[in-house]
Amino acid sequence: QVQLVESGGGLVQAGDSLRLSCAASGRTLSIDAMGWFRQAPGKEREFVAAISWRGGSTLYADSVKGRFTISRDNAKNMVYLQMNSLKPEDTAVYYCAASPRGLRLPAARSYDYWGQGTQVTVSS
């Protein structure tokens, strides 16, 4: 099994930056890709970004492309989400997720393991 623990959420102003971290433990060799999702009140969970665990290729939602960067440190079993130029519409609970198969990564169904979520609030 894989366990994911997130950190780095908080309250910031529009235009500020924030970095989220996710630590993976357990059967980390079974991870093929990791991703970030977010969910705002009254909205469905949406894809933000994903990264191939071994190759490092990335995928981003159009709404965050050019502002957010996903990265990973395999030696430390860590994945990060660097968020720049934050907007109020980025406000949501952000979830880290791990997929055993690096296929159809924008779909939540592709991920078997999820973190507890961390709140990001961007004020205007």
Side-chain angles (χ1 to χ4, degrees):
Q1 307 300 316
V2 175
Q3 296 81 45
L4 304 174
V5 180
E6 302 167 346
S7 62
L11 173 64
V12 297
Q13 292 183 270
D16 284 353
S17 297
L18 199 62
R19 189 176 81 155
L20 305 183
S21 299
C22 177
S25 61
R27 297 184 60 190
T28 56
L29 291 178
S30 69
I31 299 174
D32 190 74
M34 298 189 71
W36 289 95
F37 289 75
R38 66 187 183 186
Q39 187 167 24
K43 304 264 291 183
E44 64 183 51
R45 188 169 299 185
E46 68 172 337
F47 170 77
V48 176
I51 187 167
S52 169
W53 194 242
R54 186 172 181 84
S57 59
T58 58
L59 184 67
Y60 296 94
D62 288 341
S63 60
V64 306
K65 191 173 184 179
R67 298 189 298 123
F68 291 10
T69 302
I70 187 171
S71 61
R72 88 276 194 257
D73 186 333
N74 298 63
K76 297 180 179 179
N77 292 319
M78 297 285 291
V79 63
Y80 308 95
L81 185 67
Q82 178 66 45
M83 305 184 292
N84 298 328
S85 301
L86 283 163
K87 306 173 181 180
E89 49 262 47
D90 294 318
T91 296
V93 176
Y94 283 71
Y95 298 90
C96 176
S99 173
R101 303 166 299 278
L103 301 172
R104 304 178 185 88
L105 294 178
R109 181 178 291 187
S110 297
Y111 301 82
D112 288 352
Y113 307 98
W114 296 81
Q116 78 285 354
T118 184
Q119 177 71 47
V120 172
T121 302
V122 184
S123 65
S124 58

